[in-house]
Amino acid sequence: MEITEGQGRDERVLKLIAPHAETARQALEKNRWASTDEQVLVLQARMLERMDRVDEAIRVLGADIVGKRYGTQNTLTAYAELLSRHGRLDDLRELATGEHAHTVLDIFASALHDCGRAEEAETVMREAIGTDDWAEYRAWLSAVLLQDGRLDDAITMAEPGFSWYDCSNLLAPLVHRLFDRPEELLYLLDHPLTVPHHDHEEFQHAWRAFALASLGRAEEAIAVVEAHPDPLNDPRLVRADMLSTAGHLAQAAVELRDLDTAEAREDLFEVLVKQGQAAEAVTAHPTVAEQRAARAKPASVPLREDGYSAEPPF
């Protein structure tokens, strides 16, 4: 499809897709998980959409959804996104408030939000949370509230999931969205509702140090990482990174040159690029052989038993 776009070959491509789509439908009617080719149904709908035959695309793919001729959620999501793109909100609402809510309710709410119906989108998601307090509903609404500049509301919405594990945890996604808003990141970390991510305080120490450095408060950032060293990271490299994040590039470069390890030279490369010293950066970067040799050495510090890292952007 990508190769033929704009080449006047859409009718031909659609004819090529048709028999494969029919074969996939027949297989899916016998067994929803029998076919590995259901993606062709989505391709057929996308081709019809590209040809401005939107009603037909919706009718054809919609019939597959009603007939349960799909084995994965990808087809369901593609249909919901098709409805969203073309403002078919009534159809999307019906799809999203039934058995497929976990898969497509966020698509419906996003469609409402994107067309200026933010309050209605929020109501839809809050009602869903009221009847089914699913982590993904809270994650969506927290992200949208943050996008709309309502940080306190976003924190309150995500707070029940701040101490959950794995992909259900709602603190880390909120933090990551604030990496370019360090003042608000500090506000979040200091908020009384905020608890350690995965019960590990080191996550917050790393995030706090990054936020301080991003605000140009390098010494405060360095004090945080020195008070709470991470055994997975060389403290000298972390210090240099704090200086670099704070904009003290010359000082960071001095620290990294003094270290003169392969990893330090990789970081020095990045600092020199930021300084506009491309030629020197290339010279400083370790060779592939040097990088491999450095990584083949035994770790100088033990790994934590839980295997988690603090996930800061440095």
Side-chain angles (χ1 to χ4, degrees), residues 229-243:
D230 182 351
L232 294 179
N233 292 308
D234 186 326
R236 300 167 299 175
L237 290 175
V238 175
R239 174 184 172 85
D241 195 80
M242 291 295 96
L243 291 168

Side-chain angles (χ1 to χ4, degrees), residues 1-2 17-18 20-25 27-28 32 34-47 60-61 64 69-79 81 85:
M1 280 185 63
E2 289 78 8
I17 290 174
H20 297 286
E22 189 57 33
T23 298
R25 287 189 177 94
L28 288 162
R32 289 182 63 187
S35 174
T36 59
D37 299 322
E38 71 172 282
Q39 181 62 19
V40 73
L41 306 182
V42 176
L43 291 177
Q44 185 181 48
R46 287 179 180 167
M47 180 58 66
V60 170
L61 194 56
D64 290 328
R69 290 189 291 267
Y70 63 94
T72 69
Q73 301 301 331
N74 293 338
T75 301
L76 186 61
T77 299
Y79 178 57
E81 290 173 344
R85 283 194 297 275

Side-chain angles (χ1 to χ4, degrees), residues 66-116:
V66 171
K68 297 188 182 299
R69 290 189 291 267
Y70 63 94
T72 69
Q73 301 301 331
N74 293 338
T75 301
L76 186 61
T77 299
Y79 178 57
E81 290 173 344
L82 175 63
L83 294 173
S84 175
R85 283 194 297 275
H86 297 282
R88 308 298 176 88
L89 296 185
D90 289 340
D91 292 335
L92 185 51
R93 183 191 298 274
E94 182 178 354
L95 181 70
T97 53
E99 63 179 301
H100 305 304
H102 276 198
T103 304
V104 301
L105 186 64
D106 62 331
I107 298 174
F108 172 55
S110 294
L112 289 171
H113 189 274
D114 292 345
C115 69

Side-chain angles (χ1 to χ4, degrees), residues 152-273:
D152 281 312
D153 290 338
I155 292 171
T156 301
M157 177 53 57
E159 178 272 331
F162 278 176
S163 60
W164 295 343
Y165 279 77
D166 301 325
C167 43
S168 294
N169 186 281
L170 300 182
L171 177 57
L174 197 54
V175 167
H176 295 165
R177 291 186 180 94
L178 293 173
F179 278 160
D180 60 348
R181 296 154 66 176
E183 289 185 356
E184 291 176 281
L185 176 52
L186 284 178
Y187 178 86
L188 168 63
L189 297 176
D190 290 331
H191 198 281
L193 292 177
T194 302
V195 297
H197 178 53
H198 294 315
D199 295 325
H200 292 299
E201 291 185 1
E202 62 267 26
F203 283 81
Q204 287 170 273
H205 299 320
W207 291 330
R208 180 180 302 280
F210 170 75
L212 290 167
S214 297
L215 291 169
R217 297 157 62 179
E219 293 308 317
E220 292 177 69
I222 291 169
V224 170
V225 296
E226 288 181 345
H228 307 282
D230 182 351
L232 294 179
N233 292 308
D234 186 326
R236 300 167 299 175
L237 290 175
V238 175
R239 174 184 172 85
D241 195 80
M242 291 295 96
L243 291 168
S244 175
T245 301
H248 303 325
L249 300 178
Q251 193 174 348
V254 170
E255 300 254 356
L256 293 168
R257 285 193 181 94
D258 288 344
L259 279 173
D260 196 31
T261 62
E263 191 173 359
R265 286 164 58 197
E266 288 183 59
D267 290 353
L268 178 59
F269 171 85
E270 301 291 341
V271 170
L272 292 171
V273 169

